[in-house]
Amino acid sequence: MNKNQVLKIGFKNIPVRLILVRLTDVWQEIKSHNNTSKSACSLLGEALAASALLMSNIKIEGSVSLQIQSTNSDLSMLFAECSHKFGMRGIVNLKNEIKDLDINSLINGNSHFVVNILPEQKHLNSYQGIIPLHADDNGSFNMQRAISNYMRDSEQIDTNIWLISDDNVSVGMLLQKMPSEGGYNYELEEDWVTIKHLASTVRKEELLNLDLLTIVQLLFNDYIEQEKVVVLEDKSPYFYCTCSLQKAENAIKTALVDASVDEIMENKQELIVDCNFCAKKYRFSYSDCGKIYHSLYESKKI
């Protein structure tokens, strides 16, 4: 079984796109740096799968990130990111270290759900969209419904998304009806209705326990037998982090704008800058901080 995979599927002569993502090792690595409540961890897993689905669905070199912030709930911030090479990272922070929070304690009407698309190409503009918060039939926040509705409204394309995450795996599936040439076509509409129905029969246990190709075969066997199913893309996601010594030094420079070296050291032998994404520690001695302080103010003289 492919441990980490993003699979894009097309249907011959049918304007329908299917994308599936499965994260195991990547999810375990990210989860190991987020010791938090089960519901918060599940929410992060779904957001990671969703970010990979969205990245596979667009054609840019850059990154897609999903971010949730709240001013009046136990969730401080959630961030999930996928690059065009399918490097992935994510973090979730709670305001209080409570291990048994339910989803309604994390998301409420004062929460903000944002998608960011950041192209690497300088001539392309970044994009930020606000995703309305949607509740399920039980009144709880439902990420897959929120993103599905957002994509339908923003792209005017019928989109269905499935997201699920547990301790071992994070899985997502996106089914999208693409625009067809020549306007409405009865046969193509029939195919879309059929494919959407077949996709809707997938069970949570199948998403969590089966590899992606097996899920495709299980759901769309008739189309496979008719040789209408084509693998368009097969990628292997991986964990990555953008932290660096330079960024850690910049964090110290920011602190030194309004404080002295003695004040930020607080009588410690060394200053440690932690990366929240990968847990790497950058250690700075008093002498190191002094050099950063002098470089900061030397640059201001120029």
Side-chain angles (χ1 to χ4, degrees), residues 52-63:
L53 291 175
L54 296 179
M55 186 72 250
S56 183
N57 200 41
I58 60 177
K59 295 180 180 179
I60 66 157
E61 292 186 2
S63 65

Side-chain angles (χ1 to χ4, degrees), residues 34-279:
N34 288 274
N35 183 23
T36 186
S37 75
K38 185 174 182 179
S39 57
C41 216
S42 177
L43 198 63
L44 176 61
E46 291 183 7
L48 286 163
S51 69
L53 291 175
L54 296 179
M55 186 72 250
S56 183
N57 200 41
I58 60 177
K59 295 180 180 179
I60 66 157
E61 292 186 2
S63 65
V64 171
S65 65
L66 294 173
Q67 186 170 347
I68 301 177
Q69 288 183 304
S70 183
T71 57
N72 192 27
S73 78
D74 292 306
L75 177 69
S76 177
M77 187 268 286
L78 179 147
F79 178 88
E81 181 182 66
C82 181
S83 75
H84 69 279
K85 295 181 179 179
F86 292 96
M88 304 193 71
R89 61 178 184 159
I91 188 172
V92 58
N93 290 328
L94 300 181
K95 294 173 183 174
N96 300 297
E97 291 301 319
I98 304 173
K99 302 302 181 185
D100 57 352
L101 295 172
D102 63 25
I103 191 68
N104 291 323
S105 298
L106 301 175
I107 307 293
N108 59 33
N110 294 314
S111 302
H112 301 281
F113 192 11
V114 179
V115 57
N116 293 292
I117 300 175
L118 300 175
E120 285 184 352
Q121 300 95 321
K122 300 298 182 183
H123 65 282
L124 296 178
N125 294 325
S126 60
Y127 168 83
Q128 184 178 86
I130 306 298
I131 302 178
L133 297 171
H134 286 271
D136 60 20
D137 295 336
N138 296 319
S140 297
F141 170 73
N142 187 302
M143 182 173 291
Q144 64 185 39
R145 179 178 294 183
I147 298 175
S148 294
N149 289 346
Y150 168 77
M151 294 186 71
R152 284 195 205 102
D153 294 340
S154 63
E155 298 184 3
Q156 302 298 307
I157 296 176
D158 198 353
T159 304
N160 295 269
I161 290 179
W162 293 258
L163 299 169
I164 189 169
S165 175
D166 66 8
D167 286 340
N168 302 311
V169 63
S170 176
V171 183
M173 186 169 81
L174 180 150
L175 184 70
Q176 196 167 54
K177 178 185 178 184
M178 306 305 296
S180 59
E181 297 181 3
Y184 180 84
N185 182 296
Y186 177 78
E187 290 184 359
L188 294 180
E189 188 65 26
E190 283 287 293
D191 277 317
W192 164 246
V193 171
T194 300
I195 291 171
K196 185 165 68 169
H197 168 72
L198 292 172
S200 70
T201 64
V202 70
R203 301 197 304 269
K204 290 183 179 180
E205 295 78 12
E206 294 166 344
L207 289 172
L208 291 172
N209 298 312
L210 301 178
D211 66 83
L212 300 185
L213 278 176
T214 300
I215 292 172
V216 174
Q217 291 167 354
L218 182 69
L219 297 176
F220 307 108
N221 187 60
D222 288 346
Y223 285 91
I224 292 173
E225 290 182 351
Q226 296 172 42
E227 299 183 347
K228 289 186 176 182
V229 174
V230 182
V231 176
L232 303 175
E233 184 177 83
D234 190 346
K235 300 291 185 180
S236 297
Y238 59 95
F239 172 75
Y240 87 131
C241 187
T242 61
C243 73
S244 67
L245 177 60
Q246 182 63 52
K247 289 182 178 180
E249 290 179 351
N250 288 341
I252 293 177
K253 284 182 181 180
T254 300
L256 287 171
V257 170
D258 299 313
S260 68
V261 173
D262 287 330
E263 287 173 326
I264 68 169
M265 291 295 292
E266 295 179 339
N267 297 319
K268 300 185 184 114
Q269 292 296 317
E270 61 180 1
L271 184 66
I272 300 175
V273 178
D274 293 307
C275 175
N276 291 327
F277 290 99
C278 70

